[in-house]
Amino acid sequence: MIKAAEAMVKCLENEGIKVVFGYPGAAICPFYDELSHSDIKHILVRHEANGGHSASGYARITGKPAVCIATSGPGATNLLTAIATAYMDSVPIICITGQVCSDQIGCDVFQEADITGAAEPFVKYSYLVKNAQDIPRVFKEAFHIAGTGRPGPVLIDVPMDVQQTMIDFEYPETVSLRSYKPSAKGNALQIKKVAEAIKAAEKPLICAGGGIFLAHAEKEIKEFAELTGIPVVSTMMGLSVFPTDHPLYFGMIGMHGVKTANHAVGDCDLMILIGARVGDRAVKSPSWLEENTKIIHIDIDPAEIGKNIHADIPLVGDCKCVLAQLNEIMEKQNTEPWLEHLREYRSNIPEKPAEKVFTDPKGFLKKLSEAAPDNTVAVADVGQNQIWACNNFKVKNGRFLTSGGMGTMGYSVPCAVGAKLADPSAEVIVICGDGSFQMQMMELATICQYNVPVKIVLMRNEYLGMVRELQTRMYADNRIAVSLGGDPDFVALARAYGISAERVENNEQADEAIKRFLSSDKPYLLEVMVNETESTL
Amino acid sequence: MKHTISILVENHAGVLSRVSGLFSRRGFNIDSLAVGVTADPSVSRITIVADGDEYMVEQLEKQLNKLIDTIKVRSLAPDELLSRELQLIKIAATPAQRSEILTIVEIMGAKIIDISPSTMTIEISDTTAHLARFEELIRPYGIKEIVRTGVIAIQKGADTIAVKK
């Protein structure tokens, strides 16, 4: 017999967990006590939400569920934003929370919160463990549910007395869930219909979403596009599916997407949506598309098909399996006239005059990405910085991570910490604004404590730029609550933590600063001075 | 249009809140919801009646299916189902009115289950439409209280909705 708390740690070890992100408190102390005897590395974040975001970054790079931990009550409620963020982007994280003792649940005792109730709308599944003997099964199921089908966060809430109960421990080898059996392979008849529709199309277009990464289908989608010669656009979550300069890739679609990609959507006669849920920011008018284009929708979640857009040919399945099935029967198509048509859009984009006094954020990000290593992981925050990064950071063979669905400010730095720990060989670069940075700057301490060499580009325009732009356009330039007048000297702030930092005042200083930024093997912050009038697009 | 949907779910704590939470979260309008354990004690059956178009029903079914605890979802067509709802009605009734009320109750297939000097309590189990007709007939006496269970439904003939073994 062992303590359930020890069993929880053993469950994590059995799942191959090497790193966890968390913040302790009284109700989770039994677990922490046992964690100290394990080889699992614990990263003490400086806010529970950041623990969730770090787990998210870790999970997105490894492709496997990652773990974050919080205590009961406020610790757990602080996690909520991270859980919701992971849910919207289908990221597999396991959230372990301590809960007050079983006999006190419902009595409103100190640091009690009904976290399984509160998190219900944002979790793929949740457990409130009442019987300690259920721990091994619950953990096994939680990892299975989080990581399979359409991935998502799973919450395990464990009362303190349950953690201290003695149980027999044996980690189950299999999961038995009669009600959860996600389908992987695509229906053969539907596959045939898809193939026929593609062969009949003159102007087919692939729209790749974040589902490609979740299914680990990066190789298959490249093969599919290159085999057939079909051009590719991506959603924000699908960014980095293709290198930016791939001849078949035409950029990100949507409200903040590039013109070429949106023209491609408008002109195509067949839209092949793969692992994309047609969110409102990606496709503003699904009904227009329905009327003007034939639509194939491939997704592992049947509930996504027909939710935001009607599909002429729905195909439920795991992208990796479905694309492999398609690659067996597809062949080269004559898409050259269609590609030529799209290339014309690309060449007709006029260059805007460059910023003189401040640093041009778009040009800066282009330069930075060109100089960055091949496997760079770019992590964009939310706001103007996100769109600047989406459209100007040239991805090579690395990844582009951001909070696409929820649009959670303060995601980038903790996500980058997780990403860097998941793949220490990759250069991990944060792109954030002065607004979003101040929602997460406590994580500089985490970066220092564990020496996680993430690089941070902080775009300083002393405004919540995207809201400011919205107020300018839609509210007669009535700028309210968007000035960040209290900004500190971020270079001095970083240095106070012992992090190297410098300011980039203008374009002339950019090249040298980028050189120093990228050649450092330690955490590094660049405070990039941006004109407050700089536009998002 | 009204739709009757049967859902088989795991019979454990929290499942009903997951199902009912989904309705408000996704903006579905539910007329009634009834839940009870099935022949297999590990499985509960939820019957809901929802109002909406085909798109709504398709979405509702898909979202319900997506819940980890959902074992099966089946939308029942109006011509293939038998439905019942149990209603308890307390009406004002003076001793002089009792026999008149009793006649209506007998004709409509209801039952008197309690009586007091000023009231009668009636039990009726039938389709929603029949319950509505009965309510109209009884209304003039003065309805004091109505309690109803929500609709439950089963398929006609030999068809069943069961968990695959």
Side-chain angles (χ1 to χ4, degrees):
Chain A
M1 302 268 280
I2 61 170
K3 255 191 204 165
E6 188 186 345
M8 290 161 74
V9 175
K10 282 190 179 298
C11 291
L12 299 183
E13 288 170 348
N14 271 284
E15 288 293 340
I17 296 299
K18 303 274 187 290
V19 183
V20 294
F21 305 88
Y23 206 106
I28 193 69
C29 263
F31 169 80
Y32 268 89
D33 193 34
E34 298 297 336
L35 186 64
S36 68
H37 306 309
S38 167
D39 289 336
I40 294 173
K41 185 175 181 181
H42 180 267
I43 304 294
L44 177 70
V45 291
R46 296 314 198 254
H47 186 288
E48 289 87 348
N50 297 334
H53 295 325
S54 288
S56 168
Y58 197 91
R60 289 173 78 172
I61 292 302
T62 60
K64 292 189 191 122
V67 177
C68 59
I69 302 146
T71 191
S72 65
T77 54
N78 271 350
L79 250 186
L80 279 175
T81 299
I83 296 175
T85 304
Y87 184 72
M88 284 290 264
D89 290 343
S90 309
V91 181
I93 59 172
I94 304 286
C95 309
I96 301 170
T97 51
Q99 181 54 277
V100 300
C101 287
S102 308
D103 59 348
Q104 292 178 319
I105 288 177
C107 300
D108 299 327
V109 296
F110 180 69
Q111 290 197 332
E112 179 185 356
D114 170 15
I115 197 61
T116 50
E120 176 50 35
F122 323 117
V123 288
K124 188 170 175 189
Y125 201 58
S126 62
Y127 296 89
L128 168 57
V129 184
K130 289 186 171 157
N131 180 355
Q133 194 54 59
D134 290 341
I135 290 278
R137 175 185 61 81
V138 163
F139 273 71
K140 183 76 188 176
E141 284 181 8
F143 275 88
H144 176 68
I145 291 171
T148 57
R150 180 182 185 172
V154 175
L155 169 69
I156 309 174
D157 195 27
V158 192
M160 209 172 145
D161 58 316
V162 171
Q163 295 173 47
Q164 285 162 322
T165 306
M166 300 298 283
I167 64 164
D168 291 319
F169 181 77
E170 193 186 344
Y171 200 60
E173 278 180 11
T174 54
V175 172
S176 153
L177 284 165
R178 60 179 163 184
S179 53
Y180 176 71
K181 291 188 174 66
S183 56
K185 267 189 119 175
N187 176 290
L189 186 70
Q190 291 304 97
I191 293 272
K192 214 174 132 215
K193 277 192 197 165
V194 166
E196 278 164 11
I198 293 173
K199 280 173 193 164
E202 280 175 23
K203 295 182 285 179
L205 181 70
I206 297 167
C207 176
I212 302 285
F213 294 111
L214 301 168
H216 312 295
E218 295 96 324
K219 195 171 118 288
E220 285 77 5
I221 185 117
K222 271 201 195 81
E223 199 185 321
F224 178 62
E226 284 165 3
L227 175 74
T228 54
I230 301 175
V232 180
V233 293
S234 78
T235 64
M236 189 182 280
M237 291 303 293
L239 278 172
S240 71
V241 158
F242 274 72
T244 310
D245 58 3
H246 191 287
L248 287 172
Y249 183 67
F250 289 88
M252 181 179 90
I253 61 164
M255 182 174 164
H256 294 115
V258 297
K259 284 204 172 96
T260 316
N262 284 330
H263 278 304
V265 172
D267 294 352
C268 70
D269 63 356
L270 177 73
M271 175 87 145
I272 311 161
L273 293 158
I274 311 177
R277 65 185 174 88
V278 196
D280 57 314
R281 294 285 159 123
V283 180
K284 196 180 163 199
S285 174
S287 53
W288 185 91
L289 255 190
E290 285 166 2
E291 280 165 31
N292 294 283
T293 312
K294 193 164 188 178
I295 295 162
I296 295 171
H297 197 172
I298 302 169
D299 205 293
I300 196 160
D301 181 358
E304 282 306 338
I305 293 173
K307 187 180 87 179
N308 294 336
I309 198 163
H310 171 79
D312 297 291
I313 309 174
L315 176 49
V316 175
D318 178 88
C319 300
K320 191 183 178 78
C321 294
V322 169
L323 286 168
Q325 282 170 281
L326 280 169
N327 286 341
E328 276 177 27
I329 51 173
M330 295 310 298
E331 47 196 46
K332 187 85 189 161
Q333 292 188 218
N334 179 22
T335 52
E336 195 41 48
W338 168 226
L339 288 169
E340 186 49 41
H341 173 76
L342 294 178
R343 282 193 286 262
E344 267 167 39
Y345 285 123
R346 204 185 251 164
S347 58
N348 286 341
I349 298 171
E351 284 279 323
K352 281 182 197 156
E355 167 69 51
K356 294 257 164 42
V357 184
F358 289 88
T359 318
D360 164 26
K362 297 159 195 168
F364 179 86
L365 289 171
K366 274 198 188 104
K367 269 187 200 164
L368 172 66
S369 57
E370 276 157 11
D374 188 62
N375 64 345
T376 296
V377 175
V379 189
D381 214 282
V382 169
Q384 286 188 306
N385 65 81
Q386 184 181 40
I387 309 305
W388 292 335
C390 285
N391 290 332
N392 299 287
F393 197 97
K394 292 186 184 171
V395 185
K396 296 167 192 166
N397 287 304
R399 280 290 297 274
F400 188 96
L401 305 179
T402 192
S403 163
M406 198 68 178
T408 303
M409 283 175 74
Y411 177 74
S412 60
V413 174
C415 172
V417 169
K420 183 71 189 177
L421 287 166
D423 183 3
S425 74
E427 179 80 273
V428 179
I429 300 176
V430 167
I431 299 122
C432 64
D434 44 352
S436 52
F437 182 72
Q438 289 178 85
M439 283 200 186
Q440 56 194 341
M441 62 188 186
M442 67 289 257
E443 292 310 312
L444 291 183
T446 312
I447 288 171
C448 291
Q449 184 173 353
Y450 301 98
N451 190 27
V452 191
V454 300
K455 309 289 178 67
I456 301 169
V457 174
L458 192 165
M459 301 286 189
R460 174 176 182 147
N461 60 359
E462 294 180 29
Y463 265 102
L464 297 174
M466 206 171 225
V467 187
R468 196 262 311 149
E469 202 173 54
L470 186 72
Q471 291 175 349
T472 299
R473 282 192 191 153
M474 310 293 289
Y475 300 90
D477 202 23
N478 182 19
R479 300 183 187 194
I480 175 79
V482 288
S483 163
L484 292 171
D487 270 358
D489 173 343
F490 290 108
V491 171
L493 182 82
R495 285 180 184 157
Y497 281 94
I499 292 175
S500 307
E502 61 180 295
R503 186 167 294 124
V504 184
E505 302 273 4
N506 53 47
N507 292 327
E508 277 169 24
Q509 296 174 356
D511 288 326
E512 288 304 310
I514 287 171
K515 237 178 243 169
R516 287 187 290 271
F517 180 73
L518 291 174
S519 61
S520 168
D521 56 359
K522 294 197 168 59
Y524 207 104
L525 184 142
L526 285 184
E527 183 180 23
V528 180
M529 307 305 277
V530 173
N531 194 335
E532 62 172 66
T533 58
E534 191 66 52
S535 67
T536 302
L537 289 175
Chain B
M1 194 192 157
K2 305 276 183 208
H3 300 268
T4 307
I5 300 167
S6 284
I7 314 150
L8 296 182
V9 296
E10 295 288 349
N11 179 20
H12 52 68
V15 178
L16 186 60
S17 86
R18 285 185 179 121
V19 172
S20 57
L22 185 127
F23 299 145
S24 59
R25 198 152 67 238
R26 298 273 174 189
F28 299 124
N29 291 318
I30 297 300
D31 285 0
S32 78
L33 183 149
V35 57
V37 75
T38 63
D40 175 350
S42 71
V43 179
S44 289
R45 178 157 169 162
I46 299 174
T47 308
I48 59 166
V49 178
D51 200 8
D53 56 15
E54 287 305 315
Y55 168 81
M56 192 279 294
V57 174
E58 188 192 318
Q59 268 301 304
L60 185 52
E61 280 184 48
K62 283 178 168 176
Q63 294 294 343
L64 284 167
N65 257 318
K66 204 171 149 176
L67 293 176
I68 306 288
D69 292 312
T70 302
I71 303 167
K72 201 172 221 178
V73 180
R74 181 86 157 69
S75 179
L76 299 168
D79 58 355
E80 67 160 343
L81 65 83
L82 298 165
S83 73
R84 288 293 179 272
E85 183 170 12
L86 174 64
Q87 193 170 32
L88 302 177
I89 313 172
K90 191 172 286 184
I91 59 164
T94 60
Q97 290 172 312
R98 281 181 194 159
S99 62
E100 197 179 308
I101 292 168
L102 197 59
T103 313
I104 299 173
V105 163
E106 274 174 10
I107 292 170
M108 295 301 281
K111 208 165 99 183
I112 308 287
I113 55 169
D114 192 28
I115 193 161
S116 81
S118 61
T119 63
M120 290 174 99
T121 303
I122 305 161
E123 167 193 327
I124 182 165
S125 160
D126 212 298
T127 61
T128 305
H130 188 83
L131 259 46
R133 276 200 299 277
F134 181 71
E135 207 179 300
E136 281 315 302
L137 289 169
I138 222 83
R139 188 177 298 282
Y141 298 97
I143 294 171
K144 291 194 162 293
E145 194 175 5
I146 288 184
V147 191
R148 51 205 300 174
T149 55
V151 174
I152 54 169
I154 201 161
Q155 284 157 294
K156 287 178 186 164
D159 291 346
T160 60
I161 300 171
V163 180
K164 266 185 226 151
K165 290 289 168 201

